[in-house]
Amino acid sequence: MAVNITMEVGPACPTPMKATSNGAFQGDDPLRFALPLAILQICLVLVVTRVLALLMRPLRQPRVIAEIIGGILLGPSALGRNQTYLHKIFPPKSLTVLETLANLGLLFFLFLAGLELDPKSIRRTGKKALLIAIAGISLPFALGIGSSFILRQTISKGVNSAAFLVFMGVALSITAFPVLARILAELKLLTTDIGRMAMSAAAVNDIAAWILLALAIALSGTGQSPFTSLWVFLSGCIFVICCVLIAPPIFKWMAQRCHEGEPVDEMYICATLAAVLAAGFITDTIGIHAMFGAFVIGVLVPKDGPLAGALVEKVEDLVSGLFLPLYFVSSGLKTNVATIQGLQSWGLFVLVTFTACFGKIFGTVMVSLSCKVPFREALALGFLMNTKGLVELIVLNIGKDRKVLNDQTFSIMVLMAIFTTFITTPAVIAVYKPAKRARIANYKYRTVERENPNTQLRILACFHSTRNIPSLLNLLEASRGTEKHEKLCIYAMHLVELSERSSAILMVHKARRNGLPFWNKGRRLDSGNVVVAFETYRQLGRVSVRPMTAISSMSDMHEDICTTADGKRAAIIILPFHKHQRLDGSLEVTKSDFRWVNRRVLEHAPCSVGIFVDRGLGGTSHVAASNVSSFITVLFFGGRDDREALAYGARMAEHPGIRLMVIRFLVEPEISGEISRVDIEGNSSTNVGSVDNEFLAKFKKDKAEDNSVQYKDKPVQNTEQVISVIREIGHCNLFLVGRMPAGEVALALNKRSECPELGPVGSLLTSPDFSTTASVLVVQQYNGQEALNMASDTGEESTDRD
């Protein structure tokens, strides 16, 4: 009898998986052990979700869509139909480990979400955004409760009625704050009125959703007493109150001992992470999900100072890149689309989706119109507020785990979340057409060369990192001119790649609308140093400096640069070269994508453009005005770009600490026929030469009595003589050259250069064969067209040999 009982019970209680195997050579199957199986699952998840994200990038869809779909594909809806695969890769006894890792990742992700959410910004939310948020919550919540009655009569019979009503209401009323931020960034709407309104309303919506979700979880308890849910909810409130009273003083004490520019003590990082886990344990013990405790701790950590930045830096990549995708797979394994069968099931899916979309869009549009928002903007705002995402999945998974949502209802709700998020971007583009907005300004001075050189010069100076700042400041200091000029105006733009990291998006919520694209007060270490550097330079008194941060994907970063230059009425954009100088003096690639950013700016810029090849102009620190001592050389071959370079050099020469040498290369008459003439500007070479002669005559007349300026004519017979002349003056600090000189000799220098964006002379000065320690500024003059012709360049997009 005992033997029979053992045989009956055995199959129902499988032995737990051991952690590690002895290896395949000793007869162990690695897939029967927890660690190797978990590693395989993680690798599979990462490959599938990343490939899907790449495929969906042309559709401008956020990565969360790819991760949700990837989870569904790995589950029983697609690949899981093969039972061999499902039991081999995702056996039931491995799901405990998988879900534990997934929930641990979710715990720290919610901590990061709370860390990025600033309560002060919520309190400053305007009346209009607050009304939109209330409408975006209340109407969908009411419609969700209404649809829940229909679902309970059909496919969700016998569930906890009160909990089901609240879960459905919450699921339909949520707006995914991080996903919305990424969509707005992709559409270039973050700093517009509609973008700021959507972000503020979504932040309020987020807080309300967490409160409602806590209520739903409290109601979904299985306790026998009707007061159990009340005790759970009250205990949760007491926990939040205790955290608000106890945690902030402790975190403030930690933050005060973390100084800018110094590494954060590891003890503070560990103590904060331990507090996150402890808060998660307490809320889980109460009966509310552990993520609530983590979220509350994140909200209470001070946002000022390096502590918050260090926490994000330490935790974010591991959590968002590795553990969080497991949560989507965990959801996908619970989603079986095959359970949605028959006309009734698909009809309920249409009903739920329509209810979710109608409640969000109609409620938002009506309130927006009552606040006198234009109809197109109100409609776009409605679609934006309809965005779902990770928070939606969290709600659904908790409902599934608490037996409030059955398999069919869960699958319907997951598909609804995918559909509503997927349509957001195309719907907003169709309604609002943000890409077709007209240019902001039409202004006069789009070049450095102008009839009245005493007018204000506006410069948009771009940089990638703090490494570029000292030389850039020294270049800008040289551009100040003299007292007779109007005050120099500089817009310093920090170019930051829009990554998939949540902090790169959520930082925008703390940004102020103070110019395009963003103004960042510098909560991160790098940005803080940037602001301090430019604020210090501004104290010189005669220079107006405004630091900004442009957060864009590499594919459309040039749009931010060009739009900002147009809106700020810049005369010239200064871009950093995509290579930086190594200790041995050679140039190495910083990031090759910046090269294509530079070339797109050259093509679409609304003003002149300069590409700055930095070889340590002025040293590794900013040089004060009284200590400036630089020797600048302008290589003049002829043409529009060379005239622009000389005009810039002429302004620099007015600085008391700068000496300027202008070398004009002339083709000797007896050999001019040996070099073929090429028409660059659509004019005859005679007309170009006459314009150059007039410009040079005026320059020599203006600088006749200036001892700091030298002018030389250099007749040359061939390109070797040109190179020899340049080598003789290679000891200067800065070369100023035109990108596309009109002289025949310049074109013969380098007919196929490695970096066509620098032109033939710039490529020569930056080639490994040409030894010089001088920095180079390659200038292209705005020619009055909407876009410059770079067809000859783009045909030479050879891969960078470095």
PDB file of all heavy atoms in Angstrom, residues 599-614:
ATOM      1  N   ARG A 599      27.794  65.548 -41.584  1.00  0.00           N
ATOM      2  CA  ARG A 599      27.531  65.659 -43.024  1.00  0.00           C
ATOM      3  C   ARG A 599      26.087  66.047 -43.312  1.00  0.00           C
ATOM      4  O   ARG A 599      25.811  66.789 -44.250  1.00  0.00           O
ATOM      5  CB  ARG A 599      27.903  64.336 -43.705  1.00  0.00           C
ATOM      6  CG  ARG A 599      29.374  64.015 -43.554  1.00  0.00           C
ATOM      7  CD  ARG A 599      29.784  62.757 -44.276  1.00  0.00           C
ATOM      8  NE  ARG A 599      29.732  62.943 -45.721  1.00  0.00           N
ATOM      9  CZ  ARG A 599      30.216  62.047 -46.576  1.00  0.00           C
ATOM     10  NH1 ARG A 599      30.766  60.942 -46.119  1.00  0.00           N
ATOM     11  NH2 ARG A 599      30.134  62.258 -47.873  1.00  0.00           N
ATOM     12  N   ARG A 600      25.164  65.564 -42.476  1.00  0.00           N
ATOM     13  CA  ARG A 600      23.765  65.970 -42.662  1.00  0.00           C
ATOM     14  C   ARG A 600      23.572  67.438 -42.304  1.00  0.00           C
ATOM     15  O   ARG A 600      22.758  68.135 -42.927  1.00  0.00           O
ATOM     16  CB  ARG A 600      22.853  65.079 -41.818  1.00  0.00           C
ATOM     17  CG  ARG A 600      22.825  63.621 -42.279  1.00  0.00           C
ATOM     18  CD  ARG A 600      21.800  62.816 -41.491  1.00  0.00           C
ATOM     19  NE  ARG A 600      21.947  61.394 -41.735  1.00  0.00           N
ATOM     20  CZ  ARG A 600      22.471  60.527 -40.881  1.00  0.00           C
ATOM     21  NH1 ARG A 600      22.886  60.940 -39.696  1.00  0.00           N
ATOM     22  NH2 ARG A 600      22.577  59.249 -41.170  1.00  0.00           N
ATOM     23  N   VAL A 601      24.293  67.917 -41.280  1.00  0.00           N
ATOM     24  CA  VAL A 601      24.200  69.333 -40.935  1.00  0.00           C
ATOM     25  C   VAL A 601      24.753  70.185 -42.070  1.00  0.00           C
ATOM     26  O   VAL A 601      24.171  71.216 -42.432  1.00  0.00           O
ATOM     27  CB  VAL A 601      24.955  69.629 -39.614  1.00  0.00           C
ATOM     28  CG1 VAL A 601      25.024  71.128 -39.362  1.00  0.00           C
ATOM     29  CG2 VAL A 601      24.271  68.935 -38.445  1.00  0.00           C
ATOM     30  N   LEU A 602      25.873  69.771 -42.655  1.00  0.00           N
ATOM     31  CA  LEU A 602      26.432  70.500 -43.803  1.00  0.00           C
ATOM     32  C   LEU A 602      25.419  70.596 -44.933  1.00  0.00           C
ATOM     33  O   LEU A 602      25.345  71.603 -45.641  1.00  0.00           O
ATOM     34  CB  LEU A 602      27.699  69.809 -44.300  1.00  0.00           C
ATOM     35  CG  LEU A 602      28.963  69.968 -43.452  1.00  0.00           C
ATOM     36  CD1 LEU A 602      30.041  69.003 -43.922  1.00  0.00           C
ATOM     37  CD2 LEU A 602      29.480  71.397 -43.525  1.00  0.00           C
ATOM     38  N   GLU A 603      24.627  69.562 -45.093  1.00  0.00           N
ATOM     39  CA  GLU A 603      23.670  69.524 -46.192  1.00  0.00           C
ATOM     40  C   GLU A 603      22.428  70.368 -45.921  1.00  0.00           C
ATOM     41  O   GLU A 603      21.892  70.996 -46.826  1.00  0.00           O
ATOM     42  CB  GLU A 603      23.261  68.069 -46.449  1.00  0.00           C
ATOM     43  CG  GLU A 603      22.359  67.895 -47.655  1.00  0.00           C
ATOM     44  CD  GLU A 603      22.051  66.437 -47.925  1.00  0.00           C
ATOM     45  OE1 GLU A 603      22.621  65.563 -47.225  1.00  0.00           O
ATOM     46  OE2 GLU A 603      21.244  66.177 -48.820  1.00  0.00           O
ATOM     47  N   HIS A 604      21.982  70.416 -44.655  1.00  0.00           N
ATOM     48  CA  HIS A 604      20.685  71.034 -44.353  1.00  0.00           C
ATOM     49  C   HIS A 604      20.781  72.312 -43.526  1.00  0.00           C
ATOM     50  O   HIS A 604      19.748  72.884 -43.183  1.00  0.00           O
ATOM     51  CB  HIS A 604      19.804  70.034 -43.591  1.00  0.00           C
ATOM     52  CG  HIS A 604      19.508  68.779 -44.361  1.00  0.00           C
ATOM     53  ND1 HIS A 604      18.655  68.754 -45.437  1.00  0.00           N
ATOM     54  CD2 HIS A 604      19.978  67.506 -44.211  1.00  0.00           C
ATOM     55  CE1 HIS A 604      18.598  67.525 -45.918  1.00  0.00           C
ATOM     56  NE2 HIS A 604      19.383  66.744 -45.193  1.00  0.00           N
ATOM     57  N   ALA A 605      21.981  72.758 -43.166  1.00  0.00           N
ATOM     58  CA  ALA A 605      22.127  73.889 -42.242  1.00  0.00           C
ATOM     59  C   ALA A 605      21.511  75.167 -42.802  1.00  0.00           C
ATOM     60  O   ALA A 605      21.650  75.465 -43.994  1.00  0.00           O
ATOM     61  CB  ALA A 605      23.596  74.118 -41.927  1.00  0.00           C
ATOM     62  N   PRO A 606      20.861  75.980 -41.955  1.00  0.00           N
ATOM     63  CA  PRO A 606      20.283  77.255 -42.386  1.00  0.00           C
ATOM     64  C   PRO A 606      21.286  78.406 -42.298  1.00  0.00           C
ATOM     65  O   PRO A 606      20.897  79.576 -42.408  1.00  0.00           O
ATOM     66  CB  PRO A 606      19.147  77.451 -41.376  1.00  0.00           C
ATOM     67  CG  PRO A 606      19.665  76.834 -40.124  1.00  0.00           C
ATOM     68  CD  PRO A 606      20.512  75.663 -40.554  1.00  0.00           C
ATOM     69  N   CYS A 607      22.568  78.098 -42.037  1.00  0.00           N
ATOM     70  CA  CYS A 607      23.585  79.138 -41.905  1.00  0.00           C
ATOM     71  C   CYS A 607      24.939  78.507 -42.237  1.00  0.00           C
ATOM     72  O   CYS A 607      25.000  77.352 -42.673  1.00  0.00           O
ATOM     73  CB  CYS A 607      23.583  79.717 -40.492  1.00  0.00           C
ATOM     74  SG  CYS A 607      23.888  78.492 -39.203  1.00  0.00           S
ATOM     75  N   SER A 608      26.011  79.238 -42.032  1.00  0.00           N
ATOM     76  CA  SER A 608      27.340  78.686 -42.267  1.00  0.00           C
ATOM     77  C   SER A 608      27.652  77.603 -41.240  1.00  0.00           C
ATOM     78  O   SER A 608      27.056  77.558 -40.162  1.00  0.00           O
ATOM     79  CB  SER A 608      28.391  79.792 -42.192  1.00  0.00           C
ATOM     80  OG  SER A 608      28.203  80.739 -43.226  1.00  0.00           O
ATOM     81  N   VAL A 609      28.608  76.739 -41.588  1.00  0.00           N
ATOM     82  CA  VAL A 609      28.977  75.616 -40.722  1.00  0.00           C
ATOM     83  C   VAL A 609      30.495  75.540 -40.633  1.00  0.00           C
ATOM     84  O   VAL A 609      31.192  75.705 -41.640  1.00  0.00           O
ATOM     85  CB  VAL A 609      28.430  74.277 -41.260  1.00  0.00           C
ATOM     86  CG1 VAL A 609      28.822  73.129 -40.336  1.00  0.00           C
ATOM     87  CG2 VAL A 609      26.924  74.332 -41.416  1.00  0.00           C
ATOM     88  N   GLY A 610      31.004  75.295 -39.426  1.00  0.00           N
ATOM     89  CA  GLY A 610      32.426  75.047 -39.238  1.00  0.00           C
ATOM     90  C   GLY A 610      32.630  73.724 -38.529  1.00  0.00           C
ATOM     91  O   GLY A 610      31.970  73.440 -37.526  1.00  0.00           O
ATOM     92  N   ILE A 611      33.525  72.878 -39.055  1.00  0.00           N
ATOM     93  CA  ILE A 611      33.877  71.613 -38.397  1.00  0.00           C
ATOM     94  C   ILE A 611      35.230  71.812 -37.727  1.00  0.00           C
ATOM     95  O   ILE A 611      36.221  72.131 -38.385  1.00  0.00           O
ATOM     96  CB  ILE A 611      33.918  70.446 -39.393  1.00  0.00           C
ATOM     97  CG1 ILE A 611      32.529  70.229 -39.992  1.00  0.00           C
ATOM     98  CG2 ILE A 611      34.402  69.174 -38.711  1.00  0.00           C
ATOM     99  CD1 ILE A 611      32.454  69.085 -40.968  1.00  0.00           C
ATOM    100  N   PHE A 612      35.250  71.631 -36.414  1.00  0.00           N
ATOM    101  CA  PHE A 612      36.425  71.942 -35.603  1.00  0.00           C
ATOM    102  C   PHE A 612      37.192  70.668 -35.292  1.00  0.00           C
ATOM    103  O   PHE A 612      36.701  69.792 -34.579  1.00  0.00           O
ATOM    104  CB  PHE A 612      35.986  72.649 -34.319  1.00  0.00           C
ATOM    105  CG  PHE A 612      37.109  73.073 -33.424  1.00  0.00           C
ATOM    106  CD1 PHE A 612      38.238  73.696 -33.937  1.00  0.00           C
ATOM    107  CD2 PHE A 612      37.047  72.850 -32.054  1.00  0.00           C
ATOM    108  CE1 PHE A 612      39.278  74.095 -33.110  1.00  0.00           C
ATOM    109  CE2 PHE A 612      38.079  73.248 -31.216  1.00  0.00           C
ATOM    110  CZ  PHE A 612      39.195  73.874 -31.747  1.00  0.00           C
ATOM    111  N   VAL A 613      38.416  70.554 -35.837  1.00  0.00           N
ATOM    112  CA  VAL A 613      39.311  69.442 -35.536  1.00  0.00           C
ATOM    113  C   VAL A 613      40.204  69.889 -34.379  1.00  0.00           C
ATOM    114  O   VAL A 613      41.084  70.731 -34.551  1.00  0.00           O
ATOM    115  CB  VAL A 613      40.159  69.063 -36.763  1.00  0.00           C
ATOM    116  CG1 VAL A 613      41.042  67.863 -36.449  1.00  0.00           C
ATOM    117  CG2 VAL A 613      39.267  68.779 -37.965  1.00  0.00           C
ATOM    118  N   ASP A 614      39.956  69.340 -33.212  1.00  0.00           N
ATOM    119  CA  ASP A 614      40.597  69.815 -31.980  1.00  0.00           C
ATOM    120  C   ASP A 614      41.909  69.079 -31.739  1.00  0.00           C
ATOM    121  O   ASP A 614      41.929  67.865 -31.570  1.00  0.00           O
ATOM    122  CB  ASP A 614      39.635  69.611 -30.809  1.00  0.00           C
ATOM    123  CG  ASP A 614      40.232  70.044 -29.480  1.00  0.00           C
ATOM    124  OD1 ASP A 614      41.216  70.795 -29.512  1.00  0.00           O
ATOM    125  OD2 ASP A 614      39.709  69.633 -28.425  1.00  0.00           O
TER     126      ASP A 614
END
